[in-house]
Amino acid sequence: MTAIHTPSEAEVDGAAARLYADDRESLGYVASHTRVMALNPDAVAAFEQLIRSVVPSLGMRRYELVTLAAAGALGSTACRAHHGLKALGFIDADELERIARDYRTAGLPPEEVAMMAFAERLSGDFAAMTQADAAKLQRLGFSDREIVDIAFAAAARNFYSRSLHALGVEPDIPPALPMSLRDALLAGMATRET
């Protein structure tokens, strides 16, 4: 567990209590990352507003694909698992399992493969990125707004995952995540753990 003291459900109020309640409603428990991040609910709200601002141009499916690619490159167990569960609302379980194992061979359209590769590169080797990375997305039909939002979505995952890692948050795996999908999500990522 983290060195940060996280309050119990009985100890939180206001915006932090709403974050706990949202987890309890959607997951059946309060996730370890929520307990830590809820210490600054204003930052969580700002992060969520950023995500709400990028989703309209990408759609939820593509947002989750970008998130899974970024989290995988970062080796973020918590983010891969939680977004794997969220992605089930937008991606068929069999397809998602193939994507989790290796998005390059999962039968995705070329533009989605390129989008995920962009997010993966931004999350791993961002200093080596050039205009050619964005130009490839343009050639595949992405608008400038979509490319900016892909970058924002991947960078936002870096912010969240890296914050969890820096704070020593122990990842938890949602019990509702099917075992075969969990295995695929965790096998198809870098070895670092957040």
Side-chain angles (χ1 to χ4, degrees):
M1 186 52 121
T2 180
I4 306 297
H5 168 72
T6 58
S8 70
E9 291 182 67
E11 296 173 305
V12 294
D13 58 13
R18 286 190 293 279
L19 292 170
Y20 277 41
D22 288 348
D23 267 17
R24 173 107 9 237
E25 182 179 327
S26 64
L27 298 171
Y29 66 98
V30 180
S32 57
H33 62 271
T34 299
R35 292 179 185 280
V36 171
M37 297 307 231
L39 290 168
N40 186 343
D42 291 338
V44 173
F47 174 80
E48 290 174 347
Q49 181 55 43
L50 172 61
I51 301 309
R52 281 192 296 276
S53 74
V54 302
V55 166
S57 76
L58 299 177
M60 283 304 298
R61 173 190 167 86
R62 287 188 168 177
Y63 166 75
E64 291 298 346
L65 290 174
V66 167
T67 297
L68 289 170
L74 292 164
S76 177
T77 300
C79 293
R80 274 287 274 207
H82 282 271
H83 280 276
L85 184 62
K86 287 182 179 184
L88 284 173
F90 311 98
I91 303 170
D92 170 80
D94 291 334
E95 181 185 22
L96 184 56
E97 189 171 327
R98 289 190 309 275
I99 292 166
R101 290 199 187 282
D102 185 351
Y103 67 87
R104 292 169 198 83
T105 61
L108 292 174
E111 62 273 12
E112 288 186 344
V113 171
M115 173 189 75
M116 292 183 77
F118 182 94
E120 188 175 66
R121 185 165 163 115
L122 184 149
S123 302
D125 193 19
F126 71 93
M129 293 183 84
T130 67
Q131 292 178 7
D133 294 289
K136 181 175 184 177
L137 296 179
Q138 286 174 323
R139 285 192 305 277
L140 288 166
F142 286 100
S143 70
D144 289 344
R145 168 66 190 264
E146 288 169 326
I147 295 167
V148 167
D149 287 345
I150 291 165
F152 283 168
R157 183 54 38 207
N158 276 258
F159 159 76
Y160 206 90
S161 295
R162 291 175 190 271
S163 296
L164 295 178
H165 182 77
L167 297 169
V169 177
E170 291 289 329
D172 50 36
I173 307 298
L177 193 62
M179 186 66 72
S180 62
L181 180 55
R182 181 197 63 127
D183 292 345
L185 286 162
L186 302 185
M189 63 180 216
T191 56
R192 283 185 309 241
E193 196 166 285
T194 302

